[in-house]
Amino acid sequence: MFQSVRPYALEAGLDDPVICYQGAVVGEPVSGRWLRHEPIELSRAREAIAAVEAEGYGLNCYVDDELYVAEVTPEARRYADFQHLQLHAVGPLLDWLERPPTKLVVIGDPVELDGLEARMKARFKGRLYISKSLPYFLELAAPHVTKAAGLEFLAKRLGFTRGQTVAFGDGENDVELVGWAGFGVAVANAHARVVAAADFVCPDVREEGVAQVIEAFLDSSR
């Protein structure tokens, strides 16, 4: 979420645009202005909510950079506390939703979500972008929304190319990002699909692998 990223950017004194919501939003931290927003079309979002709820799952629904849920469950509370977010409980989402949401997220057991992911992909067949971000988060977004699409938008706006881009990834939702960049890097503990898409595999977080690669690039440019 933009509201989750923005405080860190401001604390660091950065006003470079940030890519949020799986690439659906690109925003400026200081002004708060959104340069890009690609929400899920309303009728399709309602169809997705109905399909997921029919499977017995609740959802996080993101509208206007706020988090809405039908009811406050332990899973929703853990997610909100982890992200330092306010939860808005609105009752049945299909009765409440009137504006296109930026994304939808299902929280659940990783193995069970694997099955739900396969069934939702079969049902929507490219009409939504569906991917896990973490093993227990299944994310649904507009069909052409990926981190790569968000970065491509930013590259055109700022004037850099794919060949000038280094991108790092670990989760399944980083596959497109790592594949788009001129030099795609997977951390050692990344999802197998990310490793397969990468040009290089760096050490994992315990060895600060991302920092090692960045420092190596900076040293080589001096």
Side-chain angles (χ1 to χ4, degrees), residues 187-200:
V187 295
N189 58 317
H191 190 283
R193 289 183 59 206
V194 181
V195 173
D199 301 296
F200 180 72

Side-chain angles (χ1 to χ4, degrees), residues 22-59:
Q22 200 82 273
V25 169
V26 178
E28 295 176 330
V30 172
S31 70
R33 183 168 66 107
W34 285 12
L35 308 175
R36 166 186 165 93
H37 184 210
E38 298 289 339
I40 305 171
E41 192 271 329
L42 182 58
S43 63
R44 194 167 300 167
R46 294 177 63 84
E47 181 186 353
I49 291 170
V52 170
E53 289 182 342
E55 294 260 7
Y57 294 92
L59 301 100

Side-chain angles (χ1 to χ4, degrees), residues 82-147:
F82 170 69
Q83 297 283 357
H84 307 292
L85 300 171
Q86 181 180 357
L87 271 175
H88 303 282
V90 295
L93 289 175
L94 288 176
D95 294 341
W96 169 82
L97 187 65
E98 296 180 346
R99 299 187 305 281
T102 304
K103 74 171 180 178
L104 303 167
V105 174
V106 187
I107 304 171
D109 173 80
V111 175
E112 292 180 1
L113 287 186
D114 285 343
L116 180 64
E117 178 181 6
R119 293 190 295 275
M120 291 298 104
K121 284 182 174 178
R123 172 170 181 153
F124 287 94
K125 296 180 179 177
R127 294 187 296 128
L128 289 172
Y129 176 78
I130 301 172
S131 180
K132 281 186 171 182
S133 52
L134 293 172
Y136 38 85
F137 293 157
L138 180 63
E139 308 209 0
L140 296 84
H144 301 297
V145 164
T146 65
K147 293 183 181 182

Side-chain angles (χ1 to χ4, degrees), residues 16-27 34-38 129 141-162 165 167 173-178 180-181:
D16 297 291
V18 292
I19 301 170
C20 309
Y21 287 103
Q22 200 82 273
V25 169
V26 178
W34 285 12
L35 308 175
R36 166 186 165 93
H37 184 210
E38 298 289 339
Y129 176 78
H144 301 297
V145 164
T146 65
K147 293 183 181 182
L151 184 56
E152 185 172 35
F153 169 88
L154 191 57
K156 292 177 180 177
R157 185 176 182 89
L158 298 183
F160 62 88
T161 67
R162 295 176 66 170
T165 305
N173 62 333
D174 294 325
V175 170
E176 295 85 1
L177 172 70
V178 169
W180 183 88

Side-chain angles (χ1 to χ4, degrees), residues 181-221:
F183 191 70
V185 183
V187 295
N189 58 317
H191 190 283
R193 289 183 59 206
V194 181
V195 173
D199 301 296
F200 180 72
V201 177
C202 72
D204 67 22
V205 64
R206 293 167 297 183
E207 299 180 63
E208 300 182 338
V210 173
Q212 289 187 41
V213 175
I214 292 173
E215 288 168 356
F217 269 100
L218 293 175
D219 287 343
S220 69
S221 64

